[in-house]
Amino acid sequence: DITERKQTEEALRQSEEKFKSLANLLPQIIFETDASGNLTYVNQQAFTVMGYADGEQVIGMPSLTFHVPEERAKVIGNIQRKLAGHPVGNPEYTMQRKDGSTFPALVYSNPILVDGKPAGLRGIIVDITERKQAEAALQASNNRISQLLETTDQGIYGLDIEGRCTFINQSGLKMLGYS
């Protein structure tokens, strides 16, 4: 009687379908690699973000293909530490698309364990281009404000809620006789 086996196979197929469907809904890249670092799974977003056509052969490619060459040694070191069970955090990398263009990303990953031994990595890649642009715009704005505050001949200061000085520009220090 193979009924039980067929039911188990159908449950597994449905579970895999559900996983793939959910993974394809996410705006991040979902990936898995084998122990050699070759891709064994990517979601639909990987094709879109990395510039590959639907159905183009990506499975089996080295995951390092998607990292800029100058960071590959760092990536290999982090993968080795991760597979050895050492914390790496969630490093920022520069990812490289098929056409050679790049984008900043955070990579979150964990080892895939089979019988307690690392058999690859599973993770997500988050494009942080917008965050980087916002950080750069904020830094530029802060630099402009700092220049304005330091070049004016008016004394400008800031106080916290308890009346303590949190900022004073050079003109304010000069007016008060401080260096």
Side-chain angles (χ1 to χ4, degrees), residues 5-17:
R5 186 182 73 166
K6 290 290 187 186
Q7 289 172 339
T8 302
E9 287 173 357
E10 178 59 20
L12 177 61
R13 187 193 63 72
Q14 287 178 3
S15 177
E16 286 178 2
E17 218 173 87

Side-chain angles (χ1 to χ4, degrees), residues 49 64 75 84 89 123 127 154 157 178:
V49 172
L64 286 176
V75 172
D127 182 342
Q154 301 297 312
Y157 63 92
Y178 292 101

